[in-house]
Amino acid sequence: MSSVGLETPPGTDGTLIDIVPGQIKWLRMPLPMALNHINLYLVRDGAGWRMIDTGIDTAETRGLWEKILPALDGPVTGIVCTHHHSDHCGLSGWLTERLRVPLYMSRGEYFAMRMFSEQFSFDAWEYREFFTRAGLSEDRFEQLVAMFASFRTQTRVARAFQRLRDGETLSIGEHRWEIRGGEGHSPEHASLYCREFGILLSGDQLLARISPNVGVLPFEPNANPLAEWFASLERIGRLPADTLVLPAHELPFRSPEKRARELTQHHLATLDRLQSYCAQSPDSVVGLSYKLFPDRRSPMDDILAISETLAHLAYLLAQGRVTKHRLEDGSDQYRNAG
Ligand SMILES: [Zn+2]
Ligand SMILES: [Zn+2]
């Protein structure tokens, strides 16, 4: 297989690049954020194409699909979404309605998608309490509520789904794709691996340079997603070293084991730093989050920093390396116990 062109990504203008000629195509859609694109793939399915992830729901991305779909040499036969984040499944409702094809998704991700898109609001006592515990001020909390409200408009959900389950296989055309489950970045992320092609469609589970967000969110305040993330990385790192990884962001790469190890080491180093910050001076989640992530420009950056800091603190707490103390203002202070 030629890898020519894989260092030069397609533009976010509907251009298609052949990864495996006639079998797997790569395209990009724009995202209105610092991470300004998502990679989507089309996999040959008989006379048509199976779509892998959809892009976020905007007028621009709908317009791109309006241009791409009629130019394909066959119909879209179904839509696979790796997980529930709106850049990955935001158009699943619009596309399944328009094309009348099934959506394939894990159960955990399908229901997470519905939760975020329907009656979901952060303006509730449990969530207020979560951010008070984290040490966030009231006005900053209001900013986060407004930001999460805007998420609802970014996802229009499909009304039904066909389940992807870890360990099972999904046949697409003549090829079999093994479903590789992952946790930590999202509840039941599905990556797809095809032995014949030696290709992993990794979604957000493995990205070449970015470390995907691993965070604790208010609807599960005592979660320990980093432990799940480590276990998922260990599993996906067992794939053959020459596997071509086709990720949802940035460029394709090889050697999933190497990248999984780098990501694990990145978090282990973050855990050590965080523990040393607690040793220097006990602090709240928000206070510690500024030490780990000083460069922040938006409420979205805030929520990512707070949730990621909390995920690392939860891991340290479970290991007995820090302790947590409730202060009079209702916030939690973390202290080194190591
Ligand atoms: Zn994601
Ligand atoms: Zn993503």
Side-chain angles (χ1 to χ4, degrees):
M1 184 203 325
S2 160
S3 64
V4 172
L6 296 188
E7 297 79 25
T8 309
T12 54
D13 57 357
T15 306
L16 300 172
I17 285 183
D18 275 326
I19 299 267
V20 180
Q23 293 290 332
I24 301 177
K25 291 180 185 295
W26 174 22
L27 66 143
R28 277 190 165 177
M29 292 261 174
L31 287 182
M33 52 189 80
L35 179 59
N36 63 6
H37 70 274
I38 180 168
N39 298 323
L40 311 176
Y41 301 94
L42 297 168
V43 178
R44 171 63 75 184
D45 188 10
W49 296 92
R50 194 82 61 101
M51 186 187 296
I52 313 296
D53 286 335
T54 69
I56 207 163
D57 187 4
T58 63
E60 187 181 11
T61 52
R62 289 185 187 205
L64 282 168
W65 279 123
E66 300 279 14
K67 191 173 113 182
I68 294 163
L69 293 172
L72 292 175
D73 64 3
V76 168
T77 55
I79 297 163
V80 176
C81 286
T82 55
H83 65 300
H84 75 279
H85 293 155
S86 55
D87 44 337
H88 296 260
C89 66
L91 279 169
S92 61
W94 181 72
L95 285 163
T96 52
E97 174 67 25
R98 193 191 144 87
L99 302 173
R100 301 217 165 204
V101 295
L103 168 69
Y104 299 82
M105 208 165 175
S106 76
R107 184 185 273 171
E109 298 296 337
Y110 178 75
F111 287 109
M113 172 176 78
R114 293 203 76 141
M115 182 186 82
F116 275 108
S117 60
E118 293 175 352
Q119 291 115 28
F120 188 78
S121 165
F122 261 19
D123 193 10
W125 73 263
E126 296 92 336
Y127 304 159
R128 201 168 283 268
E129 182 179 272
F130 173 89
F131 285 105
T132 301
R133 299 272 184 262
L136 192 78
S137 67
E138 187 69 18
D139 57 323
R140 299 269 309 291
F141 173 72
E142 297 300 337
Q143 288 177 0
L144 296 186
V145 169
M147 184 201 68
F148 268 85
S150 74
F151 277 10
R152 265 171 292 176
T153 62
Q154 291 172 357
T155 296
R156 179 160 145 175
V157 301
R159 288 180 293 264
F161 75 111
Q162 296 192 26
R163 186 174 178 187
L164 301 180
R165 212 195 284 242
D166 181 34
E168 294 188 349
T169 52
L170 180 68
S171 291
I172 304 180
E174 294 169 0
H175 296 93
R176 290 159 59 82
W177 292 80
E178 299 167 20
I179 298 153
R180 302 284 175 135
E183 297 172 87
H185 173 67
S186 65
E188 200 185 344
H189 187 290
S191 303
L192 299 177
Y193 173 64
C194 178
R195 274 179 204 282
E196 296 151 282
F197 286 132
I199 283 179
L200 175 72
L201 295 161
S202 69
D204 279 357
Q205 185 69 43
L206 276 185
L207 303 175
R209 289 186 311 124
I210 309 173
S211 175
N213 174 255
V214 177
V216 173
L217 287 171
F219 48 81
E220 194 185 348
N222 294 325
N224 185 358
L226 197 53
E228 298 170 339
W229 183 243
F230 284 149
S232 301
L233 287 176
E234 201 275 319
R235 286 200 304 274
I236 209 139
R238 288 183 214 149
L239 290 176
D242 61 353
T243 302
L244 177 64
V245 181
L246 301 180
H249 307 282
E250 301 186 314
L251 296 175
F253 59 97
R254 291 192 190 272
S255 192
E257 190 274 334
K258 179 168 170 283
R259 186 59 189 141
R261 190 158 24 90
E262 286 170 0
L263 285 165
T264 299
Q265 280 163 356
H266 159 81
H267 288 291
L268 292 175
T270 304
L271 288 166
D272 289 345
R273 272 169 65 208
L274 193 53
Q275 187 176 14
S276 74
Y277 293 144
C278 292
Q280 284 160 19
S281 63
D283 207 342
S284 67
V285 177
V286 168
L288 291 162
S289 78
Y290 276 102
K291 294 173 185 164
L292 280 183
F293 306 101
D295 183 22
R296 282 139 74 164
R297 280 157 296 209
S298 66
M300 186 61 176
D301 288 345
D302 275 342
I303 190 78
L304 292 175
I306 292 168
S307 69
E308 183 114 8
T309 302
L310 194 46
H312 287 81
L313 287 168
Y315 191 87
L316 290 174
L317 264 178
Q319 286 197 319
R321 290 169 62 184
V322 299
T323 55
K324 183 167 83 166
H325 306 268
R326 180 78 27 89
L327 302 185
E328 271 184 19
D329 65 1
S331 68
D332 288 327
Q333 187 185 70
Y334 290 81
R335 300 176 192 167
N336 178 37

